[in-house]
Short mmCIF file of all heavy atoms in Angstrom, two decimals:
data_model
loop_
_atom_site.label_atom_id
_atom_site.label_comp_id
_atom_site.label_asym_id
_atom_site.label_seq_id
_atom_site.Cartn_x
_atom_site.Cartn_y
_atom_site.Cartn_z
N MET A 1 18.43 -36.64 104.97
CA MET A 1 18.96 -35.59 105.81
C MET A 1 20.13 -36.19 106.59
O MET A 1 19.97 -37.18 107.29
CB MET A 1 17.85 -35.10 106.73
CG MET A 1 18.20 -33.91 107.51
SD MET A 1 16.87 -33.23 108.54
CE MET A 1 15.37 -33.76 107.83
N LYS A 2 21.27 -35.56 106.47
CA LYS A 2 22.45 -36.07 107.12
C LYS A 2 22.65 -35.40 108.48
O LYS A 2 22.27 -34.24 108.68
CB LYS A 2 23.67 -35.83 106.26
CG LYS A 2 23.62 -36.60 104.95
CD LYS A 2 24.86 -36.36 104.14
CE LYS A 2 24.76 -37.13 102.84
NZ LYS A 2 25.90 -36.86 101.97
N ASN A 3 23.24 -36.14 109.39
CA ASN A 3 23.50 -35.63 110.74
C ASN A 3 24.32 -34.34 110.68
O ASN A 3 24.07 -33.41 111.44
CB ASN A 3 24.20 -36.69 111.58
CG ASN A 3 24.28 -36.32 113.04
OD1 ASN A 3 23.43 -35.62 113.55
ND2 ASN A 3 25.31 -36.79 113.70
N LYS A 4 25.27 -34.27 109.77
CA LYS A 4 26.12 -33.10 109.63
C LYS A 4 25.29 -31.86 109.27
O LYS A 4 25.53 -30.77 109.78
CB LYS A 4 27.18 -33.36 108.56
CG LYS A 4 28.35 -32.45 108.60
CD LYS A 4 29.38 -32.90 107.57
CE LYS A 4 30.76 -32.46 107.98
NZ LYS A 4 31.77 -32.91 107.04
N GLN A 5 24.31 -32.05 108.38
CA GLN A 5 23.43 -30.95 107.98
C GLN A 5 22.60 -30.46 109.16
O GLN A 5 22.41 -29.26 109.35
CB GLN A 5 22.49 -31.38 106.87
CG GLN A 5 23.15 -31.64 105.54
CD GLN A 5 22.16 -32.21 104.55
OE1 GLN A 5 21.47 -33.19 104.85
NE2 GLN A 5 22.10 -31.62 103.37
N VAL A 6 22.10 -31.40 109.95
CA VAL A 6 21.28 -31.06 111.11
C VAL A 6 22.11 -30.28 112.13
O VAL A 6 21.67 -29.26 112.65
CB VAL A 6 20.65 -32.32 111.75
CG1 VAL A 6 19.96 -31.98 113.05
CG2 VAL A 6 19.69 -32.98 110.78
N GLN A 7 23.31 -30.76 112.42
CA GLN A 7 24.18 -30.08 113.37
C GLN A 7 24.49 -28.65 112.91
O GLN A 7 24.47 -27.71 113.71
CB GLN A 7 25.49 -30.87 113.57
CG GLN A 7 25.29 -32.19 114.28
CD GLN A 7 24.71 -32.02 115.67
OE1 GLN A 7 25.05 -31.10 116.40
NE2 GLN A 7 23.82 -32.92 116.02
N LYS A 8 24.78 -28.48 111.64
CA LYS A 8 25.07 -27.16 111.08
C LYS A 8 23.85 -26.25 111.21
O LYS A 8 23.98 -25.07 111.57
CB LYS A 8 25.51 -27.28 109.62
CG LYS A 8 25.94 -25.98 109.01
CD LYS A 8 26.42 -26.17 107.59
CE LYS A 8 26.80 -24.84 106.97
NZ LYS A 8 27.22 -24.99 105.57
N ALA A 9 22.68 -26.79 110.91
CA ALA A 9 21.45 -26.01 111.00
C ALA A 9 21.17 -25.57 112.43
O ALA A 9 20.78 -24.43 112.67
CB ALA A 9 20.27 -26.83 110.47
N LEU A 10 21.42 -26.44 113.39
CA LEU A 10 21.17 -26.10 114.79
C LEU A 10 22.11 -25.02 115.30
O LEU A 10 21.76 -24.25 116.19
CB LEU A 10 21.30 -27.36 115.66
CG LEU A 10 20.18 -28.37 115.51
CD1 LEU A 10 20.50 -29.64 116.30
CD2 LEU A 10 18.86 -27.78 115.98
N LYS A 11 23.30 -24.94 114.72
CA LYS A 11 24.29 -23.95 115.15
C LYS A 11 24.18 -22.63 114.38
O LYS A 11 24.89 -21.68 114.70
CB LYS A 11 25.70 -24.52 115.00
CG LYS A 11 25.97 -25.66 115.95
CD LYS A 11 27.34 -26.24 115.74
CE LYS A 11 27.55 -27.44 116.65
NZ LYS A 11 28.83 -28.10 116.41
N SER A 12 23.30 -22.56 113.42
CA SER A 12 23.17 -21.35 112.60
C SER A 12 22.51 -20.23 113.39
O SER A 12 21.99 -20.42 114.48
CB SER A 12 22.37 -21.65 111.33
OG SER A 12 21.01 -21.75 111.63
N ASP A 13 22.53 -19.02 112.81
CA ASP A 13 21.89 -17.87 113.44
C ASP A 13 20.37 -17.99 113.46
O ASP A 13 19.70 -17.39 114.29
CB ASP A 13 22.27 -16.58 112.70
CG ASP A 13 23.74 -16.23 112.90
OD1 ASP A 13 24.34 -16.68 113.90
OD2 ASP A 13 24.28 -15.50 112.06
N THR A 14 19.83 -18.75 112.52
CA THR A 14 18.38 -18.96 112.43
C THR A 14 18.09 -20.46 112.41
O THR A 14 17.75 -21.02 111.36
CB THR A 14 17.81 -18.27 111.16
OG1 THR A 14 18.53 -18.75 110.04
CG2 THR A 14 17.91 -16.76 111.23
N PRO A 15 18.21 -21.13 113.55
CA PRO A 15 18.06 -22.59 113.57
C PRO A 15 16.68 -23.09 113.14
O PRO A 15 16.59 -24.12 112.48
CB PRO A 15 18.37 -22.98 115.01
CG PRO A 15 18.24 -21.73 115.80
CD PRO A 15 18.51 -20.60 114.87
N ILE A 16 15.63 -22.38 113.47
CA ILE A 16 14.29 -22.83 113.09
C ILE A 16 14.16 -22.82 111.57
O ILE A 16 13.70 -23.80 110.97
CB ILE A 16 13.19 -21.97 113.75
CG1 ILE A 16 13.26 -22.09 115.28
CG2 ILE A 16 11.81 -22.37 113.25
CD1 ILE A 16 12.38 -21.10 116.02
N ASN A 17 14.57 -21.72 110.96
CA ASN A 17 14.51 -21.62 109.50
C ASN A 17 15.41 -22.64 108.84
O ASN A 17 15.05 -23.25 107.83
CB ASN A 17 14.89 -20.21 109.05
CG ASN A 17 13.76 -19.23 109.21
OD1 ASN A 17 12.90 -19.14 108.37
ND2 ASN A 17 13.74 -18.52 110.34
N SER A 18 16.59 -22.85 109.40
CA SER A 18 17.53 -23.80 108.83
C SER A 18 17.01 -25.22 108.90
O SER A 18 17.15 -25.99 107.94
CB SER A 18 18.88 -23.70 109.55
OG SER A 18 19.44 -22.42 109.37
N MET A 19 16.41 -25.58 110.02
CA MET A 19 15.86 -26.93 110.16
C MET A 19 14.66 -27.11 109.23
O MET A 19 14.51 -28.15 108.59
CB MET A 19 15.44 -27.20 111.61
CG MET A 19 16.60 -27.29 112.57
SD MET A 19 17.67 -28.70 112.26
CE MET A 19 16.59 -30.04 112.71
N TYR A 20 13.82 -26.09 109.13
CA TYR A 20 12.65 -26.15 108.25
C TYR A 20 13.09 -26.34 106.80
O TYR A 20 12.47 -27.10 106.05
CB TYR A 20 11.83 -24.86 108.41
CG TYR A 20 10.52 -24.86 107.66
CD1 TYR A 20 9.41 -25.52 108.17
CD2 TYR A 20 10.39 -24.19 106.45
CE1 TYR A 20 8.20 -25.51 107.49
CE2 TYR A 20 9.19 -24.17 105.77
CZ TYR A 20 8.09 -24.84 106.29
OH TYR A 20 6.90 -24.84 105.62
N ALA A 21 14.17 -25.68 106.41
CA ALA A 21 14.67 -25.78 105.04
C ALA A 21 15.19 -27.18 104.72
O ALA A 21 15.26 -27.57 103.56
CB ALA A 21 15.78 -24.76 104.81
N LEU A 22 15.53 -27.96 105.74
CA LEU A 22 16.03 -29.32 105.52
C LEU A 22 14.92 -30.33 105.24
O LEU A 22 15.19 -31.43 104.79
CB LEU A 22 16.84 -29.79 106.74
CG LEU A 22 18.18 -29.12 106.96
CD1 LEU A 22 18.81 -29.64 108.25
CD2 LEU A 22 19.11 -29.32 105.79
N ILE A 23 13.67 -29.95 105.48
CA ILE A 23 12.56 -30.87 105.24
C ILE A 23 12.36 -31.00 103.73
O ILE A 23 12.11 -30.00 103.04
CB ILE A 23 11.25 -30.37 105.90
CG1 ILE A 23 11.45 -30.22 107.41
CG2 ILE A 23 10.10 -31.32 105.60
CD1 ILE A 23 10.31 -29.49 108.11
N PRO A 24 12.48 -32.21 103.20
CA PRO A 24 12.31 -32.40 101.76
C PRO A 24 10.89 -32.07 101.31
O PRO A 24 9.93 -32.24 102.08
CB PRO A 24 12.60 -33.89 101.54
CG PRO A 24 13.15 -34.41 102.81
CD PRO A 24 12.79 -33.46 103.90
N ASP A 25 10.76 -31.59 100.09
CA ASP A 25 9.45 -31.22 99.55
C ASP A 25 8.45 -32.38 99.63
O ASP A 25 7.28 -32.17 99.94
CB ASP A 25 9.57 -30.77 98.09
CG ASP A 25 10.27 -29.44 97.97
OD1 ASP A 25 10.27 -28.67 98.96
OD2 ASP A 25 10.82 -29.16 96.89
N ASN A 26 8.93 -33.60 99.39
CA ASN A 26 8.01 -34.73 99.40
C ASN A 26 7.58 -35.13 100.81
O ASN A 26 6.72 -35.99 100.97
CB ASN A 26 8.61 -35.93 98.66
CG ASN A 26 9.87 -36.45 99.32
OD1 ASN A 26 10.49 -35.78 100.14
ND2 ASN A 26 10.28 -37.64 98.94
N ARG A 27 8.16 -34.52 101.86
CA ARG A 27 7.78 -34.83 103.25
C ARG A 27 7.12 -33.64 103.94
O ARG A 27 6.71 -33.73 105.09
CB ARG A 27 9.02 -35.24 104.05
CG ARG A 27 9.76 -36.44 103.49
CD ARG A 27 8.98 -37.72 103.54
NE ARG A 27 8.82 -38.10 104.92
CZ ARG A 27 7.94 -38.98 105.37
NH1 ARG A 27 7.14 -39.59 104.52
NH2 ARG A 27 7.84 -39.26 106.63
N MET A 28 7.01 -32.51 103.23
CA MET A 28 6.47 -31.30 103.84
C MET A 28 5.01 -31.48 104.27
O MET A 28 4.61 -31.03 105.34
CB MET A 28 6.58 -30.13 102.86
CG MET A 28 6.25 -28.79 103.49
SD MET A 28 7.26 -28.34 104.91
CE MET A 28 8.80 -27.95 104.13
N ARG A 29 4.22 -32.16 103.46
CA ARG A 29 2.82 -32.38 103.81
C ARG A 29 2.71 -33.17 105.11
O ARG A 29 1.90 -32.86 105.98
CB ARG A 29 2.10 -33.11 102.68
CG ARG A 29 0.59 -33.23 102.89
CD ARG A 29 -0.07 -33.91 101.69
NE ARG A 29 0.40 -35.26 101.47
CZ ARG A 29 -0.13 -36.35 102.05
NH1 ARG A 29 -1.14 -36.24 102.84
NH2 ARG A 29 0.35 -37.54 101.80
N VAL A 30 3.56 -34.18 105.27
CA VAL A 30 3.56 -35.00 106.48
C VAL A 30 3.98 -34.16 107.68
O VAL A 30 3.40 -34.26 108.75
CB VAL A 30 4.49 -36.22 106.30
CG1 VAL A 30 4.61 -37.00 107.59
CG2 VAL A 30 3.99 -37.10 105.18
N PHE A 31 4.99 -33.30 107.49
CA PHE A 31 5.43 -32.43 108.58
C PHE A 31 4.30 -31.51 109.02
O PHE A 31 4.05 -31.34 110.22
CB PHE A 31 6.64 -31.60 108.16
CG PHE A 31 6.91 -30.49 109.14
CD1 PHE A 31 7.49 -30.75 110.37
CD2 PHE A 31 6.56 -29.18 108.84
CE1 PHE A 31 7.71 -29.73 111.29
CE2 PHE A 31 6.77 -28.16 109.75
CZ PHE A 31 7.35 -28.44 110.98
N LYS A 32 3.61 -30.90 108.07
CA LYS A 32 2.53 -29.97 108.40
C LYS A 32 1.39 -30.68 109.13
O LYS A 32 0.78 -30.13 110.05
CB LYS A 32 2.04 -29.24 107.16
CG LYS A 32 3.06 -28.24 106.67
CD LYS A 32 2.62 -27.54 105.41
CE LYS A 32 3.70 -26.56 104.97
NZ LYS A 32 3.37 -25.90 103.73
N LYS A 33 1.12 -31.90 108.75
CA LYS A 33 0.10 -32.70 109.43
C LYS A 33 0.54 -32.99 110.87
O LYS A 33 -0.25 -32.90 111.80
CB LYS A 33 -0.12 -34.00 108.65
CG LYS A 33 -1.33 -34.77 109.06
CD LYS A 33 -1.53 -35.95 108.11
CE LYS A 33 -2.75 -36.73 108.49
NZ LYS A 33 -2.98 -37.87 107.61
N PHE A 34 1.81 -33.33 111.04
CA PHE A 34 2.38 -33.58 112.37
C PHE A 34 2.30 -32.31 113.23
O PHE A 34 1.86 -32.34 114.38
CB PHE A 34 3.83 -34.04 112.23
CG PHE A 34 4.60 -34.09 113.51
CD1 PHE A 34 4.42 -35.14 114.40
CD2 PHE A 34 5.51 -33.10 113.82
CE1 PHE A 34 5.12 -35.19 115.59
CE2 PHE A 34 6.22 -33.15 115.00
CZ PHE A 34 6.03 -34.18 115.89
N ALA A 35 2.71 -31.18 112.66
CA ALA A 35 2.70 -29.91 113.40
C ALA A 35 1.28 -29.51 113.79
O ALA A 35 1.07 -28.94 114.87
CB ALA A 35 3.35 -28.82 112.54
N ALA A 36 0.31 -29.81 112.95
CA ALA A 36 -1.08 -29.48 113.23
C ALA A 36 -1.57 -30.17 114.49
O ALA A 36 -2.41 -29.63 115.22
CB ALA A 36 -1.97 -29.84 112.05
N ARG A 37 -1.04 -31.34 114.79
CA ARG A 37 -1.42 -32.05 116.02
C ARG A 37 -1.01 -31.28 117.27
O ARG A 37 -1.53 -31.52 118.35
CB ARG A 37 -0.82 -33.44 116.05
CG ARG A 37 -1.39 -34.33 114.97
CD ARG A 37 -1.18 -35.78 115.35
NE ARG A 37 -1.85 -36.63 114.41
CZ ARG A 37 -2.94 -37.33 114.70
NH1 ARG A 37 -3.46 -37.29 115.89
NH2 ARG A 37 -3.49 -38.09 113.77
N PHE A 38 -0.06 -30.36 117.13
CA PHE A 38 0.39 -29.54 118.24
C PHE A 38 -0.15 -28.12 118.15
O PHE A 38 0.33 -27.22 118.84
CB PHE A 38 1.93 -29.52 118.28
CG PHE A 38 2.52 -30.86 118.57
CD1 PHE A 38 2.93 -31.69 117.53
CD2 PHE A 38 2.64 -31.33 119.87
CE1 PHE A 38 3.47 -32.94 117.77
CE2 PHE A 38 3.18 -32.57 120.13
CZ PHE A 38 3.59 -33.38 119.09
N GLY A 39 -1.11 -27.92 117.26
CA GLY A 39 -1.77 -26.62 117.13
C GLY A 39 -1.09 -25.65 116.18
O GLY A 39 -1.42 -24.47 116.18
N PHE A 40 -0.15 -26.11 115.40
CA PHE A 40 0.55 -25.24 114.47
C PHE A 40 -0.11 -25.29 113.10
O PHE A 40 0.01 -26.27 112.37
CB PHE A 40 2.03 -25.65 114.33
CG PHE A 40 2.87 -25.24 115.50
CD1 PHE A 40 2.99 -26.06 116.60
CD2 PHE A 40 3.54 -24.03 115.50
CE1 PHE A 40 3.75 -25.68 117.69
CE2 PHE A 40 4.31 -23.64 116.58
CZ PHE A 40 4.42 -24.47 117.68
N THR A 41 -0.79 -24.21 112.76
CA THR A 41 -1.36 -24.09 111.42
C THR A 41 -0.25 -23.65 110.47
O THR A 41 0.84 -23.24 110.90
CB THR A 41 -2.46 -23.02 111.40
OG1 THR A 41 -1.87 -21.76 111.75
CG2 THR A 41 -3.60 -23.36 112.36
N GLU A 42 -0.52 -23.70 109.20
CA GLU A 42 0.47 -23.26 108.22
C GLU A 42 0.82 -21.79 108.43
O GLU A 42 1.99 -21.40 108.32
CB GLU A 42 -0.06 -23.49 106.80
CG GLU A 42 1.01 -23.47 105.76
CD GLU A 42 0.54 -24.04 104.43
OE1 GLU A 42 -0.42 -24.82 104.40
OE2 GLU A 42 1.18 -23.69 103.42
N GLU A 43 -0.16 -20.97 108.78
CA GLU A 43 0.07 -19.55 109.03
C GLU A 43 0.95 -19.36 110.27
O GLU A 43 1.83 -18.50 110.29
CB GLU A 43 -1.26 -18.81 109.22
CG GLU A 43 -2.09 -18.72 107.97
CD GLU A 43 -2.86 -20.01 107.68
OE1 GLU A 43 -3.16 -20.77 108.62
OE2 GLU A 43 -3.12 -20.27 106.50
N ARG A 44 0.73 -20.15 111.28
CA ARG A 44 1.53 -20.03 112.52
C ARG A 44 2.98 -20.47 112.27
O ARG A 44 3.90 -19.86 112.80
CB ARG A 44 0.91 -20.87 113.64
CG ARG A 44 1.60 -20.64 114.95
CD ARG A 44 0.79 -21.15 116.12
NE ARG A 44 1.57 -20.97 117.34
CZ ARG A 44 1.51 -21.76 118.38
NH1 ARG A 44 0.65 -22.77 118.38
NH2 ARG A 44 2.24 -21.54 119.43
N ILE A 45 3.17 -21.48 111.46
CA ILE A 45 4.52 -21.92 111.11
C ILE A 45 5.25 -20.79 110.39
O ILE A 45 6.38 -20.45 110.73
CB ILE A 45 4.49 -23.19 110.24
CG1 ILE A 45 3.98 -24.38 111.05
CG2 ILE A 45 5.88 -23.49 109.67
CD1 ILE A 45 3.68 -25.62 110.23
N LYS A 46 4.58 -20.17 109.42
CA LYS A 46 5.18 -19.05 108.69
C LYS A 46 5.50 -17.89 109.63
O LYS A 46 6.54 -17.25 109.50
CB LYS A 46 4.25 -18.59 107.57
CG LYS A 46 4.20 -19.54 106.41
CD LYS A 46 3.26 -19.05 105.33
CE LYS A 46 3.17 -20.09 104.21
NZ LYS A 46 2.24 -19.66 103.15
N SER A 47 4.62 -17.65 110.58
CA SER A 47 4.83 -16.59 111.54
C SER A 47 6.07 -16.85 112.40
O SER A 47 6.87 -15.94 112.64
CB SER A 47 3.59 -16.45 112.43
OG SER A 47 3.81 -15.53 113.46
N VAL A 48 6.22 -18.07 112.86
CA VAL A 48 7.39 -18.44 113.67
C VAL A 48 8.67 -18.24 112.87
O VAL A 48 9.66 -17.69 113.37
CB VAL A 48 7.27 -19.90 114.17
CG1 VAL A 48 8.58 -20.40 114.76
CG2 VAL A 48 6.15 -20.03 115.19
N LEU A 49 8.65 -18.66 111.61
CA LEU A 49 9.83 -18.51 110.75
C LEU A 49 10.17 -17.04 110.53
O LEU A 49 11.33 -16.64 110.60
CB LEU A 49 9.60 -19.22 109.41
CG LEU A 49 9.44 -20.74 109.48
CD1 LEU A 49 8.97 -21.29 108.14
CD2 LEU A 49 10.72 -21.42 109.93
N GLU A 50 9.16 -16.23 110.28
CA GLU A 50 9.38 -14.79 110.05
C GLU A 50 9.87 -14.10 111.31
O GLU A 50 10.75 -13.24 111.26
CB GLU A 50 8.10 -14.12 109.55
CG GLU A 50 7.78 -14.45 108.12
CD GLU A 50 8.83 -13.96 107.15
OE1 GLU A 50 9.35 -12.84 107.32
OE2 GLU A 50 9.16 -14.72 106.23
N ASN A 51 9.29 -14.46 112.47
CA ASN A 51 9.71 -13.84 113.73
C ASN A 51 11.17 -14.13 114.03
O ASN A 51 11.89 -13.27 114.53
CB ASN A 51 8.84 -14.32 114.89
CG ASN A 51 7.47 -13.70 114.88
OD1 ASN A 51 7.27 -12.64 114.31
ND2 ASN A 51 6.51 -14.35 115.50
N GLU A 52 11.62 -15.33 113.73
CA GLU A 52 13.02 -15.67 113.97
C GLU A 52 13.92 -14.81 113.09
O GLU A 52 14.96 -14.32 113.54
CB GLU A 52 13.30 -17.15 113.70
CG GLU A 52 14.74 -17.52 114.00
CD GLU A 52 15.09 -18.93 113.60
OE1 GLU A 52 14.87 -19.31 112.42
OE2 GLU A 52 15.59 -19.65 114.47
N LYS A 53 13.52 -14.61 111.85
CA LYS A 53 14.31 -13.78 110.94
C LYS A 53 14.39 -12.34 111.45
O LYS A 53 15.44 -11.71 111.41
CB LYS A 53 13.70 -13.78 109.54
CG LYS A 53 13.90 -15.08 108.79
CD LYS A 53 13.26 -14.99 107.43
CE LYS A 53 13.30 -16.31 106.71
NZ LYS A 53 12.59 -16.22 105.41
N ARG A 54 13.27 -11.82 111.94
CA ARG A 54 13.23 -10.45 112.44
C ARG A 54 14.12 -10.27 113.68
O ARG A 54 14.82 -9.28 113.81
CB ARG A 54 11.81 -10.02 112.79
CG ARG A 54 11.09 -9.47 111.61
CD ARG A 54 9.77 -8.83 112.02
NE ARG A 54 8.76 -9.41 111.15
CZ ARG A 54 7.73 -10.14 111.53
NH1 ARG A 54 7.52 -10.36 112.80
NH2 ARG A 54 6.89 -10.63 110.67
N LYS A 55 14.06 -11.24 114.59
CA LYS A 55 14.82 -11.14 115.84
C LYS A 55 16.32 -11.17 115.60
O LYS A 55 17.08 -10.56 116.32
CB LYS A 55 14.44 -12.28 116.79
CG LYS A 55 13.08 -12.10 117.41
CD LYS A 55 12.76 -13.24 118.34
CE LYS A 55 11.37 -13.09 118.92
NZ LYS A 55 11.01 -14.22 119.77
N THR A 56 16.74 -11.91 114.59
CA THR A 56 18.17 -12.04 114.33
C THR A 56 18.65 -11.01 113.31
O THR A 56 19.84 -10.91 113.07
CB THR A 56 18.52 -13.44 113.81
OG1 THR A 56 17.83 -13.67 112.59
CG2 THR A 56 18.18 -14.50 114.82
N GLY A 57 17.70 -10.29 112.70
CA GLY A 57 18.08 -9.33 111.68
C GLY A 57 18.43 -9.98 110.36
O GLY A 57 19.04 -9.38 109.48
N TYR A 58 18.05 -11.23 110.20
CA TYR A 58 18.35 -11.99 108.98
C TYR A 58 17.47 -11.49 107.85
O TYR A 58 16.26 -11.37 107.98
CB TYR A 58 18.10 -13.48 109.22
CG TYR A 58 18.31 -14.33 107.99
CD1 TYR A 58 19.58 -14.69 107.58
CD2 TYR A 58 17.23 -14.80 107.25
CE1 TYR A 58 19.78 -15.48 106.47
CE2 TYR A 58 17.41 -15.58 106.12
CZ TYR A 58 18.70 -15.91 105.75
OH TYR A 58 18.88 -16.69 104.64
N ILE A 59 18.09 -11.18 106.73
CA ILE A 59 17.33 -10.75 105.55
C ILE A 59 17.62 -11.74 104.43
O ILE A 59 18.77 -11.93 104.04
CB ILE A 59 17.73 -9.32 105.11
CG1 ILE A 59 17.45 -8.35 106.25
CG2 ILE A 59 17.01 -8.94 103.84
CD1 ILE A 59 17.96 -6.95 106.00
N ALA A 60 16.56 -12.37 103.94
CA ALA A 60 16.73 -13.38 102.87
C ALA A 60 16.89 -12.74 101.53
O ALA A 60 16.45 -11.71 101.24
CB ALA A 60 15.54 -14.32 102.88
#
C-alpha cells in the first residue's frame, strides 16, 4: 500500500470504503481479527461500509 493511495483514499467521497478496499486479500483475515478486538464483527464492518455509501449517495 503506497502513501499516495492512502492519501487519495482519505480525500475521497467515501474514505472508509476506499481505505477498506486498499486492504490486500491476503491481509483481510488479520484486519478482521484486529477489528474484532474493538468489537467490530464482520456484519458491523459491512454495515459501516453500507451506511457510508448511503450517506454520500454513492452507488457502486
Side-chain angles (χ1 to χ4, degrees):
M1 188 176 336
K2 295 181 181 176
N3 190 29
K4 198 175 207 179
Q5 291 174 309
V6 173
Q7 292 300 321
K8 185 177 178 182
L10 289 173
K11 293 178 184 176
S12 76
D13 291 338
T14 55
I16 297 170
N17 280 277
S18 297
M19 292 295 292
Y20 186 79
L22 290 177
I23 301 169
D25 290 337
N26 63 343
R27 302 294 292 163
M28 190 58 73
R29 187 177 61 88
V30 174
F31 167 75
K32 289 178 181 177
K33 192 173 181 180
F34 169 78
R37 294 201 173 251
F38 295 95
F40 284 88
T41 62
E42 198 165 337
E43 292 79 26
R44 187 165 176 212
I45 292 170
K46 287 180 184 179
S47 174
V48 168
L49 295 170
E50 286 297 319
N51 285 337
E52 182 186 54
K53 287 180 186 176
R54 273 190 231 118
K55 287 181 182 177
T56 61
Y58 177 79
I59 300 173

